[in-house]
Structures are given as structure tokens and as C-alpha cells.
Amino acid sequence: MSIAVDYADFAVRELRGVSPAYERLALAVSRDDELLARLGTLPPAKRQPNLLFGVVRLLGGPVEDPAAFHDFAVTHWPAVEAEMRVRATQTNEAGRCAVLLPLLAALPQPLALLEVGASAGLCLYPDRYAYRYGDQRLGAGEPVLECTADALVPPTRLPEVVWRAGLDLNPLDVTDTADLAWLDALIWPEHAHRRERLRAAAAVAAAEPPLLVRGDLVDDLPALAAQAPADATLVVFHTSVLYQVPPPRRAAFVDLVRQLPGHWISNEAPDVLAYEGLPEQPGQALHNVLALDGRPLAWARGHGQSMVWFG
Ligand SMILES: C[S@@+](CC[C@H](N)C(=O)[O-])C[C@H]1O[C@@H](n2cnc3c(N)ncnc32)[C@H](O)[C@@H]1O
């Protein structure tokens, strides 16, 4: 796909009805020959809307008005380009725990959680957050994660987590103000609730920092998995990670994770891992496929705000 088509597609499939400011920007960039030419000088993985918009926000640029955005991005292109080349989209969305929870709560307890592509590790605390599925509430902590769940019997207990570890090419540290500023810049402009959620989840992680290891999800997974306590159920999981991993490495990861003891939870876009017989996706909005041990069970919106159970 061309960069222009990517931006226009992203506007319709991910941003419409979710972030009007970014929808306007993405559509404007899709028609902006000057910015498209500059984006074309970057490696394909570095051309994404979320990366461009997050970097402009990090540098203090305007993201509400497309004309002002264009002027800022062009005038400050050397700084924008430099940041885009060294950064990656590492949005860490604790809200995704709301779609993981039904699976985690149903596994034999206690759990040893190992998240690959963990970013700052905020999805490693599903036992510490509170949840609201419709009018059913679970847990007493903060943040409270709301999820509209269709055809799901919501869990009635929190998992018991005795070990938590994350693996990431570039782990972020929520106690570092620069890392927290980048995580904040990645949140879409209107999403004040997600910003509050980031603060609340960061406080949970800061109070009991996770074991975060710098490494690759294929090369470094066996050594980290070997550190998990043998008397807990090992759960290797990932959410919105494999789209950043080239297909041959994805396949190597799947082969590897299938050989590990315990269970594997995947929450990824439907074009990232192939599943046979998936039911139709609900609506036009982008959904992830939630799967346990390779078996697809639900459609889940990207930030964990809703899920449709079909398993
Ligand atoms: C979009 S973020 C998602 C973070 C987190 N899973 C969540 O759902 O909030 C993707 C993360 O995957 C990491 N990542 C990408 N490729 C990786 C690899 N080969 N090995 C380990 N981590 C990787 C990135 O550094 C980034 O932090």
C-alpha cells in the first residue's frame, strides 16, 4: 500500500469516531504531497501515523489543526525525522488487560506472566486493576478498566499472579520522566481517560516494578521463560506487538512459544496471525483477534474498550 493509502485507511478504520483530531490529520497527510515525500525517505516501519503524530506531540507541535501541523512538521522536519528514526510506537495500554482477564482468570492458578513486547510492562498487572463489564464490577484497585463485552460471561475472580516479567527490544521505565512523556505523547489527543489510566497504571508498576528484560521475543524468550517458577502456570502473552515483527520472525516465535510449557495468549490484528474460519469482524473498526493456545476466541478493540466473544 502507498503511504497515502495507509494514512487514509488508518483514518477510516482506526480513528473515525475515536479521535476526530487524528482523523483530520491522517486524512490531511494522505493528501499532502510534501509530507508524503518526506515520509517516503524513512524506512517503511517508520512511516506510521501514530509515530509521526506522537513525535510532533512530543516536540510540542500542534495536532488539532492540519494546516498548523503541516507547517510545524515541515519547519521542524530534521528534528521530527531524527525522533521518528530512533523511536517506535510503544503505546502501553493497560486497558488491554480487560480483554486478557477472562482467559487469565480461567487458567489454573497461580500464574507466572511473561509478556513479550511489554513496553513499560503495564499489562503485567491484571490482578491489580479493577474492571467493569457492563454492570458487573470486579476488583477494587485503580485504574478501573471498562469493557463492553458481548456474549461473554465476565470473570468473577481476579487471577493470582506470583511472577511477572516482560521482554522488549526497548523496555520503557515508568519512573523515568522522559519515558513517561513518550508514553503520554502516544495517547491520542482527546483521550483524557487514557492519560489518567496511564498515570494510575504507572503508579501501580512504580510501586512494584516488573522484571523487564531488553531482548528479542524469539532469541531471548527461552532464557526468560526458564526463570518462571515451576509451580505456577506459565502464560506467555502479547498484545499489539507482532505487527512490528517481520513475518518470518513471527513464524519462528509461534514455533517457539508452542514448545514452551503452560499457555499462550495472543491479541493481535487479524492479518498478523492466520486463523481458519474466523467469523466476520464486527463493524468497520479495526479489531484484534484474542486467542488462547492458537485458538481464536474473541474480537477485541485495540485499547480493550470492547470485545465480542465467539469461542
Ligand atoms: C505497540 S507496543 C504494545 C505494548 C504492549 N504490549 C501493550 O499492549 O500495551 C509494541 C511493543 O513491542 C515491542 N517489540 C517489537 N518487536 C519486538 C521484538 N522483536 N521483540 C521484543 N519486543 C518487540 C516494541 O518495542 C513495543 O514496546
Side-chain angles (χ1 to χ4, degrees):
M1 271 203 290
S2 75
I3 306 173
V5 172
D6 270 349
Y7 272 71
D9 192 55
F10 188 71
V12 174
R13 295 195 8 102
E14 280 227 54
L15 301 170
R16 184 152 298 166
V18 185
S19 173
Y22 274 9
E23 184 188 354
R24 280 194 301 278
L25 281 195
L27 287 174
V29 173
S30 77
R31 300 182 200 109
D32 183 333
D33 290 339
E34 192 175 3
L35 268 182
L36 289 172
R38 288 171 196 246
L39 289 169
T41 64
L42 297 173
K46 297 287 178 182
R47 297 169 183 169
Q48 303 161 38
N50 270 332
L51 185 58
L52 173 65
F53 301 162
V55 160
V56 168
R57 284 196 67 230
L58 186 72
L59 295 173
V63 291
E64 299 290 337
D65 170 33
F69 174 85
H70 167 96
D71 290 346
F72 184 94
V74 169
T75 311
H76 297 86
W77 184 254
V80 172
E81 176 181 358
E83 291 288 355
M84 287 181 78
R85 283 185 185 276
V86 296
R87 292 188 183 277
T89 50
Q90 291 194 264
T91 308
N92 200 184
E93 184 44 80
R96 294 175 180 139
C97 286
V99 301
L100 300 175
L101 193 77
L103 298 183
L104 294 173
L107 292 174
Q109 309 289 313
L111 305 180
L113 296 182
L114 196 171
E115 181 181 13
V116 299
S119 184
L122 300 182
C123 293
L124 283 166
Y125 298 85
D127 52 330
R128 299 296 161 83
Y129 304 145
Y131 302 85
R132 206 177 288 128
Y133 299 94
D135 51 16
Q136 182 156 336
R137 189 169 164 146
L138 183 62
E142 288 280 342
V144 180
L145 308 178
E146 296 215 24
C147 180
T148 312
D150 243 38
L152 168 79
V153 179
T156 52
R157 65 168 185 183
L158 293 173
E160 185 194 344
V161 179
V162 291
W163 185 81
R164 48 192 112 225
L167 189 58
D168 201 288
L169 290 178
N170 181 41
L172 297 177
D173 175 359
V174 288
T175 64
D176 179 309
T177 43
D179 282 359
L180 202 54
W182 177 231
L183 288 171
D184 190 283
L186 286 165
I187 294 178
W188 299 350
E190 304 88 345
H191 292 194
H193 65 291
R194 291 182 57 214
R195 234 163 242 115
E196 277 167 29
R197 194 151 76 196
L198 171 64
R199 304 280 149 204
V204 171
E208 187 198 339
L211 168 62
L212 282 184
V213 174
R214 183 179 298 274
D216 174 75
L217 53 69
V218 177
D219 298 338
D220 302 298
L221 177 58
L224 188 54
Q227 293 182 38
D231 52 358
T233 303
L234 175 66
V235 184
V236 176
F237 72 98
H238 47 95
T239 81
S240 300
V241 171
L242 294 187
Y243 75 95
Q244 298 187 357
V245 176
R249 297 293 285 172
R250 278 180 214 157
F253 169 74
V254 171
D255 283 349
L256 177 61
V257 79
R258 283 183 184 283
Q259 290 166 36
L260 292 175
H263 293 277
W264 165 41
I265 297 176
S266 158
N267 183 39
E268 299 285 346
D271 57 345
V272 165
L273 292 178
Y275 297 108
E276 275 177 25
L278 271 184
E280 200 157 317
Q281 214 177 129
Q284 258 210 323
L286 211 69
H287 283 75
N288 283 332
V289 181
L290 180 72
L292 176 66
D293 298 325
R295 186 172 149 234
L297 294 170
W299 290 110
R301 285 302 303 280
H303 300 137
Q305 64 270 52
S306 68
M307 70 194 307
V308 178
W309 198 263
F310 55 75

